[in-house]
Amino acid sequence: MQENLTIQVRYHADIPPLQKLPQGDWIDLRAAEAVDMKAGEHRLISLGVSMKLPTGYEAHVAPRSSTFKKWGILMTNSIGIIDESYCGDGDLWYFSAVALRDTHIEKGDRICQFRIVKKMPEAALETVAFLPDPDRGGFGSTGEQ
């Protein structure tokens, strides 16, 4: 049985409300401002929202599959992690972008997406002299297909 969760969303800009589409597990986020960027420029693009995530969850923010093709921007961290403690009214969400070409993003453009996942359980790290299992073959070892 699937768990139903509630995410409280505070809008700081006049953008369409977030919605979970039935055909995917990710929720699109929009630029809350029009942005002009030059090649090589970095910018934090406001997404116009703050959220209170359910206890025990965190949000993973990633570019949409079309983000680079449409605007020539990359997310500088590859993925953003927002934990449940980033939940105040002023804790706005941003997309950290670097432009690889001159570009213009309109207010309301869907530039990234997020999903919430359960936080990692407490884990103990144990130092050992060796690991008893056989090696797989090293980094990139799945071979060529």
Side-chain angles (χ1 to χ4, degrees):
M1 182 172 174
Q2 189 166 347
E3 184 179 8
N4 287 325
L5 300 171
T6 299
I7 302 170
Q8 295 177 355
V9 181
R10 157 84 154 88
Y11 292 93
H12 299 270
D14 183 22
I15 54 175
L18 302 179
Q19 65 181 131
K20 165 75 178 66
L21 300 176
Q23 68 268 29
D25 290 334
W26 293 73
I27 299 169
D28 289 339
L29 293 161
R30 297 173 183 272
E33 57 189 336
V35 175
D36 288 304
M37 295 177 70
K38 298 289 185 194
E41 182 181 356
H42 170 263
R43 175 117 181 223
L44 291 176
I45 301 172
S46 174
L47 301 171
V49 294
S50 301
M51 295 188 211
K52 180 170 178 43
L53 301 175
T55 301
Y57 285 81
E58 63 190 18
H60 293 186
V61 180
R64 296 182 74 236
S65 59
S66 61
T67 297
F68 181 75
K69 179 181 170 186
K70 286 183 179 179
W71 298 287
I73 59 173
L74 297 173
M75 187 172 191
T76 58
N77 297 27
S78 300
I79 189 170
I81 307 295
I82 300 174
D83 68 37
E84 66 186 86
S85 70
Y86 193 72
C87 60
D89 195 54
D91 290 333
L92 270 73
W93 289 25
Y94 291 89
F95 181 83
S96 182
V98 64
L100 297 189
R101 66 175 188 252
D102 292 358
T103 191
H104 175 77
I105 300 164
E106 288 289 341
K107 179 179 179 179
D109 282 344
R110 296 178 302 151
I111 59 172
C112 59
Q113 58 193 339
F114 81 98
R115 71 180 302 165
I116 63 170
V117 296
K118 285 189 176 182
K119 290 171 54 174
M120 185 173 95
E122 291 296 320
L125 302 175
E126 177 184 358
T127 301
V128 297
F130 68 93
L131 298 172
D133 296 311
D135 291 348
R136 192 175 100 179
F139 185 80
S141 64
T142 57
E144 295 183 21
Q145 300 295 328

